[in-house]
Amino acid sequence: MKIALVDAGIGLLAAAAAVRRLRPDADLVLSSDPDGMPWGPRTPRDIAARAIAIAEAAAAHRPDALIVACNTATLHALPDLRARFEPDAPVIGTVPAIKPAAAGGGPVAVWATPAATGSPYLRGLITEFADRVKVAEVPCPGLSDAVEHADQAAIARAVAAAAERTPDDARAVVLGCTHYELIAEHIRAAVRQPGSPPPVLHGTAGAVAAQMLRRIGERPAPEAPAEGTLTVIHSGREAALPAAALAYEEGRLLRAGPTRSGHVRER
């Protein structure tokens, strides 16, 4: 089994690690776009073009499925990616987990990038899945960029600022950017109110990995031999996991497995 994941940066680590935990025998292809980052300020057409380009680089390795491990790319490029790669390889997008968060009752806080906060896309998801639940949209300026560079001081500042904007009575927090899942415990600690249980955090990595397996007719097999390889592509070039990735548990988990000779070069 070979699974490709695409994202502008290291936000794909969370979904990749989730796939690795479910299927240690799966070969992973991680294709990102450091030359084009950040994607947020780009036009929708430009984002779609860049997403297709890095997906093409991953598709050259003939994966069984393609995970779009990025909320922005899913919003702007998912139809184009499916038209290009299906039915040869199912394409699985990433949507903020508003539906399961709202199912647990409110109030709910949705942490998202400033570009996503207040967008018709996010408002549409809230209307569709959480129309009877109190929802607060919480912009997190600078947080995804701080996570991308593993800048701990910047992460602390951005998380603290977002926590200040999060209602005290929030029972659930939706992590509306895949980068945020890499610092989930930091966020959990920041939003916890004294004397109250911590809000439930809702990411997407586990659900996306499980959906990918369903789409290709496979089952979880966490007991499988840990023989899955790792291939890393940066803007179409062979590369290694960036140093920032190793600041996170997910990146270290991926590095711990075998690598494909000639495709991953440690710098």
PDB file of all heavy atoms in Angstrom, residues 2-7 12 14-16 18-20 28-31 54-55 58 63-70 73-74 78 81 89-94 178 204-205 207-213:
ATOM      1  N   LYS A   2       0.541   2.215  -0.845  1.00  0.00           N
ATOM      2  CA  LYS A   2       1.292   3.466  -0.899  1.00  0.00           C
ATOM      3  C   LYS A   2       0.308   4.624  -0.837  1.00  0.00           C
ATOM      4  O   LYS A   2      -0.649   4.682  -1.622  1.00  0.00           O
ATOM      5  CB  LYS A   2       2.124   3.541  -2.167  1.00  0.00           C
ATOM      6  CG  LYS A   2       3.009   4.786  -2.263  1.00  0.00           C
ATOM      7  CD  LYS A   2       3.816   4.806  -3.549  1.00  0.00           C
ATOM      8  CE  LYS A   2       4.829   3.675  -3.559  1.00  0.00           C
ATOM      9  NZ  LYS A   2       5.674   3.721  -4.788  1.00  0.00           N
ATOM     10  N   ILE A   3       0.526   5.542   0.102  1.00  0.00           N
ATOM     11  CA  ILE A   3      -0.388   6.644   0.327  1.00  0.00           C
ATOM     12  C   ILE A   3       0.376   7.950   0.175  1.00  0.00           C
ATOM     13  O   ILE A   3       1.430   8.139   0.789  1.00  0.00           O
ATOM     14  CB  ILE A   3      -1.010   6.580   1.737  1.00  0.00           C
ATOM     15  CG1 ILE A   3      -1.631   5.197   1.980  1.00  0.00           C
ATOM     16  CG2 ILE A   3      -2.036   7.699   1.907  1.00  0.00           C
ATOM     17  CD1 ILE A   3      -2.690   4.783   0.988  1.00  0.00           C
ATOM     18  N   ALA A   4      -0.159   8.862  -0.632  1.00  0.00           N
ATOM     19  CA  ALA A   4       0.443  10.178  -0.808  1.00  0.00           C
ATOM     20  C   ALA A   4      -0.343  11.216  -0.019  1.00  0.00           C
ATOM     21  O   ALA A   4      -1.569  11.125   0.103  1.00  0.00           O
ATOM     22  CB  ALA A   4       0.475  10.559  -2.285  1.00  0.00           C
ATOM     23  N   LEU A   5       0.380  12.186   0.523  1.00  0.00           N
ATOM     24  CA  LEU A   5      -0.243  13.298   1.245  1.00  0.00           C
ATOM     25  C   LEU A   5       0.342  14.596   0.718  1.00  0.00           C
ATOM     26  O   LEU A   5       1.554  14.686   0.488  1.00  0.00           O
ATOM     27  CB  LEU A   5      -0.001  13.198   2.749  1.00  0.00           C
ATOM     28  CG  LEU A   5      -0.543  11.942   3.436  1.00  0.00           C
ATOM     29  CD1 LEU A   5       0.556  10.907   3.589  1.00  0.00           C
ATOM     30  CD2 LEU A   5      -1.145  12.273   4.806  1.00  0.00           C
ATOM     31  N   VAL A   6      -0.519  15.599   0.537  1.00  0.00           N
ATOM     32  CA  VAL A   6      -0.063  16.890   0.032  1.00  0.00           C
ATOM     33  C   VAL A   6      -0.519  18.009   0.955  1.00  0.00           C
ATOM     34  O   VAL A   6      -1.600  17.956   1.549  1.00  0.00           O
ATOM     35  CB  VAL A   6      -0.556  17.149  -1.403  1.00  0.00           C
ATOM     36  CG1 VAL A   6      -0.031  16.094  -2.360  1.00  0.00           C
ATOM     37  CG2 VAL A   6      -2.080  17.203  -1.476  1.00  0.00           C
ATOM     38  N   ASP A   7       0.320  19.009   1.081  1.00  0.00           N
ATOM     39  CA  ASP A   7       0.027  20.209   1.865  1.00  0.00           C
ATOM     40  C   ASP A   7       1.086  21.232   1.508  1.00  0.00           C
ATOM     41  O   ASP A   7       2.167  20.882   1.007  1.00  0.00           O
ATOM     42  CB  ASP A   7       0.067  19.905   3.366  1.00  0.00           C
ATOM     43  CG  ASP A   7      -0.319  21.093   4.245  1.00  0.00           C
ATOM     44  OD1 ASP A   7      -0.913  22.050   3.715  1.00  0.00           O
ATOM     45  OD2 ASP A   7      -0.033  21.071   5.445  1.00  0.00           O
ATOM     46  N   LEU A  12       0.800  18.408   7.008  1.00  0.00           N
ATOM     47  CA  LEU A  12       0.475  17.031   6.617  1.00  0.00           C
ATOM     48  C   LEU A  12       1.022  15.985   7.593  1.00  0.00           C
ATOM     49  O   LEU A  12       0.656  14.810   7.521  1.00  0.00           O
ATOM     50  CB  LEU A  12       0.981  16.734   5.201  1.00  0.00           C
ATOM     51  CG  LEU A  12       2.449  17.020   4.834  1.00  0.00           C
ATOM     52  CD1 LEU A  12       3.431  16.107   5.501  1.00  0.00           C
ATOM     53  CD2 LEU A  12       2.613  16.976   3.320  1.00  0.00           C
ATOM     54  N   ALA A  14       0.404  15.443  10.716  1.00  0.00           N
ATOM     55  CA  ALA A  14      -0.595  14.837  11.597  1.00  0.00           C
ATOM     56  C   ALA A  14      -1.315  13.692  10.901  1.00  0.00           C
ATOM     57  O   ALA A  14      -1.465  12.596  11.455  1.00  0.00           O
ATOM     58  CB  ALA A  14      -1.592  15.893  12.075  1.00  0.00           C
ATOM     59  N   ALA A  15      -1.774  13.927   9.667  1.00  0.00           N
ATOM     60  CA  ALA A  15      -2.463  12.868   8.928  1.00  0.00           C
ATOM     61  C   ALA A  15      -1.507  11.749   8.568  1.00  0.00           C
ATOM     62  O   ALA A  15      -1.873  10.566   8.597  1.00  0.00           O
ATOM     63  CB  ALA A  15      -3.129  13.437   7.680  1.00  0.00           C
ATOM     64  N   ALA A  16      -0.266  12.087   8.201  1.00  0.00           N
ATOM     65  CA  ALA A  16       0.714  11.053   7.858  1.00  0.00           C
ATOM     66  C   ALA A  16       0.991  10.147   9.045  1.00  0.00           C
ATOM     67  O   ALA A  16       1.084   8.921   8.909  1.00  0.00           O
ATOM     68  CB  ALA A  16       2.006  11.698   7.366  1.00  0.00           C
ATOM     69  N   ALA A  18      -1.061   9.604  11.506  1.00  0.00           N
ATOM     70  CA  ALA A  18      -2.267   8.807  11.746  1.00  0.00           C
ATOM     71  C   ALA A  18      -2.308   7.605  10.814  1.00  0.00           C
ATOM     72  O   ALA A  18      -2.678   6.495  11.226  1.00  0.00           O
ATOM     73  CB  ALA A  18      -3.511   9.676  11.561  1.00  0.00           C
ATOM     74  N   VAL A  19      -1.930   7.798   9.552  1.00  0.00           N
ATOM     75  CA  VAL A  19      -1.859   6.673   8.622  1.00  0.00           C
ATOM     76  C   VAL A  19      -0.807   5.677   9.091  1.00  0.00           C
ATOM     77  O   VAL A  19      -1.029   4.459   9.082  1.00  0.00           O
ATOM     78  CB  VAL A  19      -1.537   7.158   7.194  1.00  0.00           C
ATOM     79  CG1 VAL A  19      -1.322   5.959   6.263  1.00  0.00           C
ATOM     80  CG2 VAL A  19      -2.663   8.036   6.656  1.00  0.00           C
ATOM     81  N   ARG A  20       0.339   6.176   9.503  1.00  0.00           N
ATOM     82  CA  ARG A  20       1.418   5.298   9.954  1.00  0.00           C
ATOM     83  C   ARG A  20       0.971   4.452  11.158  1.00  0.00           C
ATOM     84  O   ARG A  20       1.304   3.264  11.243  1.00  0.00           O
ATOM     85  CB  ARG A  20       2.643   6.134  10.320  1.00  0.00           C
ATOM     86  CG  ARG A  20       3.799   5.362  10.903  1.00  0.00           C
ATOM     87  CD  ARG A  20       4.446   4.422   9.889  1.00  0.00           C
ATOM     88  NE  ARG A  20       5.425   5.108   9.059  1.00  0.00           N
ATOM     89  CZ  ARG A  20       5.522   4.962   7.741  1.00  0.00           C
ATOM     90  NH1 ARG A  20       4.675   4.170   7.097  1.00  0.00           N
ATOM     91  NH2 ARG A  20       6.447   5.588   7.049  1.00  0.00           N
ATOM     92  N   LEU A  28       4.652   5.848   2.531  1.00  0.00           N
ATOM     93  CA  LEU A  28       4.105   7.196   2.525  1.00  0.00           C
ATOM     94  C   LEU A  28       4.920   8.100   1.603  1.00  0.00           C
ATOM     95  O   LEU A  28       6.147   8.030   1.571  1.00  0.00           O
ATOM     96  CB  LEU A  28       4.125   7.788   3.937  1.00  0.00           C
ATOM     97  CG  LEU A  28       3.347   7.026   5.011  1.00  0.00           C
ATOM     98  CD1 LEU A  28       3.457   7.757   6.342  1.00  0.00           C
ATOM     99  CD2 LEU A  28       1.889   6.853   4.619  1.00  0.00           C
ATOM    100  N   VAL A  29       4.204   8.945   0.865  1.00  0.00           N
ATOM    101  CA  VAL A  29       4.823   9.954   0.013  1.00  0.00           C
ATOM    102  C   VAL A  29       4.307  11.309   0.494  1.00  0.00           C
ATOM    103  O   VAL A  29       3.112  11.589   0.404  1.00  0.00           O
ATOM    104  CB  VAL A  29       4.462   9.746  -1.472  1.00  0.00           C
ATOM    105  CG1 VAL A  29       5.116  10.835  -2.333  1.00  0.00           C
ATOM    106  CG2 VAL A  29       4.873   8.361  -1.943  1.00  0.00           C
ATOM    107  N   LEU A  30       5.202  12.140   1.015  1.00  0.00           N
ATOM    108  CA  LEU A  30       4.832  13.456   1.538  1.00  0.00           C
ATOM    109  C   LEU A  30       5.281  14.523   0.544  1.00  0.00           C
ATOM    110  O   LEU A  30       6.481  14.710   0.331  1.00  0.00           O
ATOM    111  CB  LEU A  30       5.488  13.711   2.892  1.00  0.00           C
ATOM    112  CG  LEU A  30       5.354  12.622   3.958  1.00  0.00           C
ATOM    113  CD1 LEU A  30       5.948  13.109   5.280  1.00  0.00           C
ATOM    114  CD2 LEU A  30       3.909  12.179   4.133  1.00  0.00           C
ATOM    115  N   SER A  31       4.330  15.218  -0.059  1.00  0.00           N
ATOM    116  CA  SER A  31       4.642  16.222  -1.063  1.00  0.00           C
ATOM    117  C   SER A  31       4.146  17.586  -0.598  1.00  0.00           C
ATOM    118  O   SER A  31       2.943  17.785  -0.417  1.00  0.00           O
ATOM    119  CB  SER A  31       3.989  15.855  -2.408  1.00  0.00           C
ATOM    120  OG  SER A  31       4.374  16.754  -3.423  1.00  0.00           O
ATOM    121  N   ILE A  54       1.961  19.881  -6.797  1.00  0.00           N
ATOM    122  CA  ILE A  54       2.609  18.992  -5.828  1.00  0.00           C
ATOM    123  C   ILE A  54       1.923  17.631  -5.794  1.00  0.00           C
ATOM    124  O   ILE A  54       2.555  16.618  -5.482  1.00  0.00           O
ATOM    125  CB  ILE A  54       2.695  19.621  -4.422  1.00  0.00           C
ATOM    126  CG1 ILE A  54       1.308  19.886  -3.824  1.00  0.00           C
ATOM    127  CG2 ILE A  54       3.527  20.887  -4.448  1.00  0.00           C
ATOM    128  CD1 ILE A  54       1.369  20.289  -2.350  1.00  0.00           C
ATOM    129  N   ALA A  55       0.633  17.602  -6.139  1.00  0.00           N
ATOM    130  CA  ALA A  55      -0.046  16.312  -6.243  1.00  0.00           C
ATOM    131  C   ALA A  55       0.486  15.524  -7.438  1.00  0.00           C
ATOM    132  O   ALA A  55       0.631  14.297  -7.369  1.00  0.00           O
ATOM    133  CB  ALA A  55      -1.549  16.511  -6.358  1.00  0.00           C
ATOM    134  N   ALA A  58       3.609  13.851  -6.409  1.00  0.00           N
ATOM    135  CA  ALA A  58       3.326  12.658  -5.602  1.00  0.00           C
ATOM    136  C   ALA A  58       2.775  11.533  -6.461  1.00  0.00           C
ATOM    137  O   ALA A  58       3.109  10.351  -6.272  1.00  0.00           O
ATOM    138  CB  ALA A  58       2.340  13.006  -4.490  1.00  0.00           C
ATOM    139  N   PRO A  63       0.640   6.313  -6.105  1.00  0.00           N
ATOM    140  CA  PRO A  63       0.012   5.968  -4.831  1.00  0.00           C
ATOM    141  C   PRO A  63      -1.369   5.337  -5.034  1.00  0.00           C
ATOM    142  O   PRO A  63      -2.007   5.530  -6.069  1.00  0.00           O
ATOM    143  CB  PRO A  63      -0.111   7.321  -4.123  1.00  0.00           C
ATOM    144  CG  PRO A  63      -0.270   8.295  -5.250  1.00  0.00           C
ATOM    145  CD  PRO A  63       0.624   7.760  -6.354  1.00  0.00           C
ATOM    146  N   ASP A  64      -1.805   4.611  -4.020  1.00  0.00           N
ATOM    147  CA  ASP A  64      -3.144   4.019  -4.037  1.00  0.00           C
ATOM    148  C   ASP A  64      -4.213   5.021  -3.638  1.00  0.00           C
ATOM    149  O   ASP A  64      -5.399   4.829  -3.931  1.00  0.00           O
ATOM    150  CB  ASP A  64      -3.194   2.818  -3.092  1.00  0.00           C
ATOM    151  CG  ASP A  64      -2.249   1.718  -3.534  1.00  0.00           C
ATOM    152  OD1 ASP A  64      -2.455   1.165  -4.619  1.00  0.00           O
ATOM    153  OD2 ASP A  64      -1.282   1.429  -2.800  1.00  0.00           O
ATOM    154  N   ALA A  65      -3.809   6.087  -2.933  1.00  0.00           N
ATOM    155  CA  ALA A  65      -4.747   7.127  -2.526  1.00  0.00           C
ATOM    156  C   ALA A  65      -3.970   8.410  -2.310  1.00  0.00           C
ATOM    157  O   ALA A  65      -2.761   8.392  -2.036  1.00  0.00           O
ATOM    158  CB  ALA A  65      -5.485   6.742  -1.246  1.00  0.00           C
ATOM    159  N   LEU A  66      -4.680   9.540  -2.413  1.00  0.00           N
ATOM    160  CA  LEU A  66      -4.081  10.856  -2.225  1.00  0.00           C
ATOM    161  C   LEU A  66      -4.875  11.599  -1.155  1.00  0.00           C
ATOM    162  O   LEU A  66      -6.083  11.809  -1.316  1.00  0.00           O
ATOM    163  CB  LEU A  66      -4.098  11.638  -3.534  1.00  0.00           C
ATOM    164  CG  LEU A  66      -3.580  13.070  -3.498  1.00  0.00           C
ATOM    165  CD1 LEU A  66      -2.082  13.086  -3.261  1.00  0.00           C
ATOM    166  CD2 LEU A  66      -3.915  13.798  -4.801  1.00  0.00           C
ATOM    167  N   ILE A  67      -4.201  11.979  -0.087  1.00  0.00           N
ATOM    168  CA  ILE A  67      -4.839  12.747   0.985  1.00  0.00           C
ATOM    169  C   ILE A  67      -4.450  14.212   0.835  1.00  0.00           C
ATOM    170  O   ILE A  67      -3.262  14.548   0.794  1.00  0.00           O
ATOM    171  CB  ILE A  67      -4.408  12.228   2.370  1.00  0.00           C
ATOM    172  CG1 ILE A  67      -4.945  10.818   2.603  1.00  0.00           C
ATOM    173  CG2 ILE A  67      -4.886  13.174   3.471  1.00  0.00           C
ATOM    174  CD1 ILE A  67      -4.455  10.178   3.902  1.00  0.00           C
ATOM    175  N   VAL A  68      -5.459  15.080   0.757  1.00  0.00           N
ATOM    176  CA  VAL A  68      -5.216  16.520   0.734  1.00  0.00           C
ATOM    177  C   VAL A  68      -5.234  16.968   2.194  1.00  0.00           C
ATOM    178  O   VAL A  68      -6.285  17.280   2.759  1.00  0.00           O
ATOM    179  CB  VAL A  68      -6.288  17.252  -0.091  1.00  0.00           C
ATOM    180  CG1 VAL A  68      -5.938  18.732  -0.221  1.00  0.00           C
ATOM    181  CG2 VAL A  68      -6.424  16.615  -1.469  1.00  0.00           C
ATOM    182  N   ALA A  69      -4.065  16.984   2.817  1.00  0.00           N
ATOM    183  CA  ALA A  69      -3.962  17.208   4.263  1.00  0.00           C
ATOM    184  C   ALA A  69      -3.852  18.694   4.570  1.00  0.00           C
ATOM    185  O   ALA A  69      -2.960  19.145   5.296  1.00  0.00           O
ATOM    186  CB  ALA A  69      -2.763  16.447   4.823  1.00  0.00           C
ATOM    187  N   CYS A  70      -4.770  19.458   4.010  1.00  0.00           N
ATOM    188  CA  CYS A  70      -4.727  20.920   4.136  1.00  0.00           C
ATOM    189  C   CYS A  70      -6.140  21.452   3.949  1.00  0.00           C
ATOM    190  O   CYS A  70      -6.791  21.141   2.947  1.00  0.00           O
ATOM    191  CB  CYS A  70      -3.785  21.493   3.073  1.00  0.00           C
ATOM    192  SG  CYS A  70      -3.759  23.301   2.989  1.00  0.00           S
ATOM    193  N   ALA A  73      -6.240  23.920   0.798  1.00  0.00           N
ATOM    194  CA  ALA A  73      -6.203  23.214  -0.484  1.00  0.00           C
ATOM    195  C   ALA A  73      -7.502  22.461  -0.736  1.00  0.00           C
ATOM    196  O   ALA A  73      -7.977  22.378  -1.874  1.00  0.00           O
ATOM    197  CB  ALA A  73      -5.019  22.260  -0.517  1.00  0.00           C
ATOM    198  N   THR A  74      -8.082  21.895   0.313  1.00  0.00           N
ATOM    199  CA  THR A  74      -9.361  21.201   0.160  1.00  0.00           C
ATOM    200  C   THR A  74     -10.437  22.172  -0.322  1.00  0.00           C
ATOM    201  O   THR A  74     -11.227  21.853  -1.222  1.00  0.00           O
ATOM    202  CB  THR A  74      -9.782  20.555   1.484  1.00  0.00           C
ATOM    203  OG1 THR A  74      -8.819  19.566   1.853  1.00  0.00           O
ATOM    204  CG2 THR A  74     -11.154  19.906   1.372  1.00  0.00           C
ATOM    205  N   LEU A  78     -10.026  20.781  -4.215  1.00  0.00           N
ATOM    206  CA  LEU A  78     -10.489  19.401  -4.157  1.00  0.00           C
ATOM    207  C   LEU A  78     -11.212  18.947  -5.429  1.00  0.00           C
ATOM    208  O   LEU A  78     -10.908  17.861  -5.952  1.00  0.00           O
ATOM    209  CB  LEU A  78     -11.372  19.183  -2.928  1.00  0.00           C
ATOM    210  CG  LEU A  78     -11.767  17.729  -2.655  1.00  0.00           C
ATOM    211  CD1 LEU A  78     -10.531  16.863  -2.404  1.00  0.00           C
ATOM    212  CD2 LEU A  78     -12.708  17.652  -1.446  1.00  0.00           C
ATOM    213  N   LEU A  81      -8.591  18.367  -8.107  1.00  0.00           N
ATOM    214  CA  LEU A  81      -7.747  17.214  -7.805  1.00  0.00           C
ATOM    215  C   LEU A  81      -8.489  15.910  -8.072  1.00  0.00           C
ATOM    216  O   LEU A  81      -7.916  14.961  -8.614  1.00  0.00           O
ATOM    217  CB  LEU A  81      -7.283  17.276  -6.346  1.00  0.00           C
ATOM    218  CG  LEU A  81      -6.257  18.371  -6.027  1.00  0.00           C
ATOM    219  CD1 LEU A  81      -6.106  18.538  -4.522  1.00  0.00           C
ATOM    220  CD2 LEU A  81      -4.908  18.047  -6.655  1.00  0.00           C
ATOM    221  N   ALA A  89      -6.750   7.018  -8.298  1.00  0.00           N
ATOM    222  CA  ALA A  89      -6.403   7.124  -6.876  1.00  0.00           C
ATOM    223  C   ALA A  89      -7.459   7.977  -6.186  1.00  0.00           C
ATOM    224  O   ALA A  89      -7.640   9.151  -6.551  1.00  0.00           O
ATOM    225  CB  ALA A  89      -5.022   7.746  -6.701  1.00  0.00           C
ATOM    226  N   PRO A  90      -8.196   7.429  -5.227  1.00  0.00           N
ATOM    227  CA  PRO A  90      -9.169   8.235  -4.499  1.00  0.00           C
ATOM    228  C   PRO A  90      -8.493   9.436  -3.850  1.00  0.00           C
ATOM    229  O   PRO A  90      -7.366   9.343  -3.357  1.00  0.00           O
ATOM    230  CB  PRO A  90      -9.712   7.271  -3.441  1.00  0.00           C
ATOM    231  CG  PRO A  90      -9.423   5.915  -3.970  1.00  0.00           C
ATOM    232  CD  PRO A  90      -8.152   6.031  -4.754  1.00  0.00           C
ATOM    233  N   VAL A  91      -9.183  10.586  -3.863  1.00  0.00           N
ATOM    234  CA  VAL A  91      -8.663  11.816  -3.267  1.00  0.00           C
ATOM    235  C   VAL A  91      -9.525  12.149  -2.048  1.00  0.00           C
ATOM    236  O   VAL A  91     -10.745  12.311  -2.173  1.00  0.00           O
ATOM    237  CB  VAL A  91      -8.683  12.975  -4.275  1.00  0.00           C
ATOM    238  CG1 VAL A  91      -8.169  14.263  -3.617  1.00  0.00           C
ATOM    239  CG2 VAL A  91      -7.838  12.627  -5.501  1.00  0.00           C
ATOM    240  N   ILE A  92      -8.888  12.236  -0.887  1.00  0.00           N
ATOM    241  CA  ILE A  92      -9.592  12.480   0.371  1.00  0.00           C
ATOM    242  C   ILE A  92      -9.241  13.865   0.873  1.00  0.00           C
ATOM    243  O   ILE A  92      -8.062  14.187   1.063  1.00  0.00           O
ATOM    244  CB  ILE A  92      -9.216  11.420   1.438  1.00  0.00           C
ATOM    245  CG1 ILE A  92      -9.658  10.025   0.999  1.00  0.00           C
ATOM    246  CG2 ILE A  92      -9.866  11.758   2.782  1.00  0.00           C
ATOM    247  CD1 ILE A  92      -8.650   9.274   0.182  1.00  0.00           C
ATOM    248  N   GLY A  93     -10.237  14.717   1.061  1.00  0.00           N
ATOM    249  CA  GLY A  93     -10.011  16.080   1.538  1.00  0.00           C
ATOM    250  C   GLY A  93     -10.045  16.186   3.051  1.00  0.00           C
ATOM    251  O   GLY A  93     -10.306  15.212   3.758  1.00  0.00           O
ATOM    252  N   THR A  94      -9.784  17.393   3.533  1.00  0.00           N
ATOM    253  CA  THR A  94      -9.756  17.672   4.965  1.00  0.00           C
ATOM    254  C   THR A  94     -10.706  18.822   5.266  1.00  0.00           C
ATOM    255  O   THR A  94     -10.513  19.934   4.761  1.00  0.00           O
ATOM    256  CB  THR A  94      -8.331  18.042   5.423  1.00  0.00           C
ATOM    257  OG1 THR A  94      -7.445  16.959   5.142  1.00  0.00           O
ATOM    258  CG2 THR A  94      -8.295  18.333   6.913  1.00  0.00           C
ATOM    259  N   THR A 178      -4.662  22.154   9.816  1.00  0.00           N
ATOM    260  CA  THR A 178      -3.955  20.913  10.136  1.00  0.00           C
ATOM    261  C   THR A 178      -2.681  21.173  10.936  1.00  0.00           C
ATOM    262  O   THR A 178      -2.251  20.310  11.705  1.00  0.00           O
ATOM    263  CB  THR A 178      -3.622  20.128   8.854  1.00  0.00           C
ATOM    264  OG1 THR A 178      -2.901  20.972   7.940  1.00  0.00           O
ATOM    265  CG2 THR A 178      -4.891  19.634   8.187  1.00  0.00           C
ATOM    266  N   THR A 204      -8.676  16.411  12.632  1.00  0.00           N
ATOM    267  CA  THR A 204      -9.170  15.660  11.472  1.00  0.00           C
ATOM    268  C   THR A 204      -8.285  14.481  11.091  1.00  0.00           C
ATOM    269  O   THR A 204      -8.707  13.634  10.308  1.00  0.00           O
ATOM    270  CB  THR A 204      -9.271  16.584  10.243  1.00  0.00           C
ATOM    271  OG1 THR A 204      -7.985  17.182   9.995  1.00  0.00           O
ATOM    272  CG2 THR A 204     -10.300  17.684  10.473  1.00  0.00           C
ATOM    273  N   ALA A 205      -7.063  14.410  11.621  1.00  0.00           N
ATOM    274  CA  ALA A 205      -6.089  13.438  11.118  1.00  0.00           C
ATOM    275  C   ALA A 205      -6.594  12.006  11.201  1.00  0.00           C
ATOM    276  O   ALA A 205      -6.509  11.244  10.232  1.00  0.00           O
ATOM    277  CB  ALA A 205      -4.770  13.587  11.873  1.00  0.00           C
ATOM    278  N   ALA A 207      -9.678  10.817  11.482  1.00  0.00           N
ATOM    279  CA  ALA A 207     -10.835  10.565  10.622  1.00  0.00           C
ATOM    280  C   ALA A 207     -10.427  10.495   9.152  1.00  0.00           C
ATOM    281  O   ALA A 207     -10.939   9.663   8.397  1.00  0.00           O
ATOM    282  CB  ALA A 207     -11.877  11.658  10.826  1.00  0.00           C
ATOM    283  N   VAL A 208      -9.505  11.343   8.747  1.00  0.00           N
ATOM    284  CA  VAL A 208      -9.048  11.337   7.356  1.00  0.00           C
ATOM    285  C   VAL A 208      -8.323  10.032   7.037  1.00  0.00           C
ATOM    286  O   VAL A 208      -8.533   9.425   5.980  1.00  0.00           O
ATOM    287  CB  VAL A 208      -8.142  12.555   7.098  1.00  0.00           C
ATOM    288  CG1 VAL A 208      -7.370  12.390   5.795  1.00  0.00           C
ATOM    289  CG2 VAL A 208      -8.975  13.826   7.049  1.00  0.00           C
ATOM    290  N   ALA A 209      -7.464   9.575   7.953  1.00  0.00           N
ATOM    291  CA  ALA A 209      -6.743   8.316   7.731  1.00  0.00           C
ATOM    292  C   ALA A 209      -7.715   7.144   7.633  1.00  0.00           C
ATOM    293  O   ALA A 209      -7.567   6.266   6.774  1.00  0.00           O
ATOM    294  CB  ALA A 209      -5.738   8.087   8.856  1.00  0.00           C
ATOM    295  N   ALA A 210      -8.714   7.129   8.513  1.00  0.00           N
ATOM    296  CA  ALA A 210      -9.691   6.046   8.489  1.00  0.00           C
ATOM    297  C   ALA A 210     -10.520   6.080   7.200  1.00  0.00           C
ATOM    298  O   ALA A 210     -10.806   5.030   6.600  1.00  0.00           O
ATOM    299  CB  ALA A 210     -10.604   6.150   9.703  1.00  0.00           C
ATOM    300  N   GLN A 211     -10.901   7.292   6.773  1.00  0.00           N
ATOM    301  CA  GLN A 211     -11.665   7.409   5.527  1.00  0.00           C
ATOM    302  C   GLN A 211     -10.847   6.955   4.327  1.00  0.00           C
ATOM    303  O   GLN A 211     -11.368   6.309   3.401  1.00  0.00           O
ATOM    304  CB  GLN A 211     -12.113   8.858   5.339  1.00  0.00           C
ATOM    305  CG  GLN A 211     -12.776   9.174   4.005  1.00  0.00           C
ATOM    306  CD  GLN A 211     -14.107   8.479   3.809  1.00  0.00           C
ATOM    307  OE1 GLN A 211     -14.581   7.752   4.675  1.00  0.00           O
ATOM    308  NE2 GLN A 211     -14.736   8.706   2.670  1.00  0.00           N
ATOM    309  N   MET A 212      -9.562   7.250   4.340  1.00  0.00           N
ATOM    310  CA  MET A 212      -8.703   6.802   3.250  1.00  0.00           C
ATOM    311  C   MET A 212      -8.706   5.284   3.147  1.00  0.00           C
ATOM    312  O   MET A 212      -8.836   4.720   2.049  1.00  0.00           O
ATOM    313  CB  MET A 212      -7.277   7.328   3.471  1.00  0.00           C
ATOM    314  CG  MET A 212      -6.251   6.877   2.452  1.00  0.00           C
ATOM    315  SD  MET A 212      -5.540   5.239   2.793  1.00  0.00           S
ATOM    316  CE  MET A 212      -4.749   5.542   4.367  1.00  0.00           C
ATOM    317  N   LEU A 213      -8.586   4.602   4.274  1.00  0.00           N
ATOM    318  CA  LEU A 213      -8.586   3.138   4.246  1.00  0.00           C
ATOM    319  C   LEU A 213      -9.911   2.605   3.716  1.00  0.00           C
ATOM    320  O   LEU A 213      -9.945   1.648   2.930  1.00  0.00           O
ATOM    321  CB  LEU A 213      -8.302   2.584   5.635  1.00  0.00           C
ATOM    322  CG  LEU A 213      -6.881   2.764   6.173  1.00  0.00           C
ATOM    323  CD1 LEU A 213      -6.769   2.207   7.583  1.00  0.00           C
ATOM    324  CD2 LEU A 213      -5.860   2.091   5.257  1.00  0.00           C
TER     325      LEU A 213
END
